[in-house]
Amino acid sequence: MGRRNTIQRDLVLQAVITLDNHPTPEQVYECVIARFPKISKSTVYRNLNILCDLGALVKIPLPGAADRIDHNLTPHCHAVCRSCGGVFDVHTAAPFPTAPECGDFEIEDVRMIFTGFCANCKQKIISKEKN
């Protein structure tokens, strides 16, 4: 069953694209209300879920942190900074891994998340160690 496009859904999609930083749903909400102050948080969250269900956006679940939203639909991995929590795209020269055969279990998606430190946080760590 298809869903009709709405102004609210378009605002949510445009906010994710504009933010372009793997925003949390709360960050998307803040961006949307800046342009459309009367929209409710539940409307933004509901439309984020709908857009993810429709395949227009990708939800990146992060253990111990808020989900992130990605508008880049090409297969790629993500890296999460352990210090600042930033999420970054990881593009590899090797092909994206495919799902292994799991008997009667049908795998729908493969996600790889690397953890470490972004360049800014790594530099801060190095500076602290020198002092």
Side-chain angles (χ1 to χ4, degrees):
M1 175 166 88
R3 293 188 182 256
R4 63 185 173 88
N5 194 26
T6 64
I7 293 169
Q8 293 88 347
R9 194 161 305 139
D10 189 52
L11 286 167
V12 169
L13 179 60
Q14 290 308 311
V16 174
I17 292 169
T18 299
L19 289 168
D20 194 33
N21 64 349
H22 305 91
T24 64
E26 183 66 26
Q27 291 169 322
V28 174
Y29 171 68
E30 292 297 326
C31 184
V32 171
I33 63 167
R35 290 189 55 212
F36 197 78
K38 295 187 182 214
I39 196 167
S40 72
K41 187 180 279 194
S42 64
T43 297
V44 171
Y45 280 49
R46 182 175 59 254
N47 280 287
L48 275 172
N49 286 327
I50 290 168
L51 288 163
C52 289
D53 289 346
L54 292 173
L57 296 172
V58 176
K59 188 179 294 183
I60 307 166
L62 299 178
D67 290 344
R68 298 300 188 98
I69 309 298
D70 196 351
H71 66 86
N72 180 352
L73 303 179
T74 59
H76 64 285
C77 304
H78 292 96
V80 179
C81 180
R82 292 185 352 181
S83 182
C84 70
V87 178
F88 307 89
D89 289 338
V90 175
H91 299 282
T92 62
F96 195 73
T98 58
E101 178 59 39
C102 293
D104 291 338
F105 188 83
E106 180 182 338
I107 296 174
E108 297 178 333
D109 191 18
V110 175
R111 299 198 186 182
M112 292 181 67
I113 298 177
F114 300 94
T115 58
F117 296 97
C118 69
N120 289 336
C121 290
K122 182 67 175 174
Q123 188 59 45
K124 290 176 188 174
I125 291 168
I126 291 169
S127 295
K128 280 184 180 179
E129 289 173 353
K130 287 182 179 178
N131 292 333

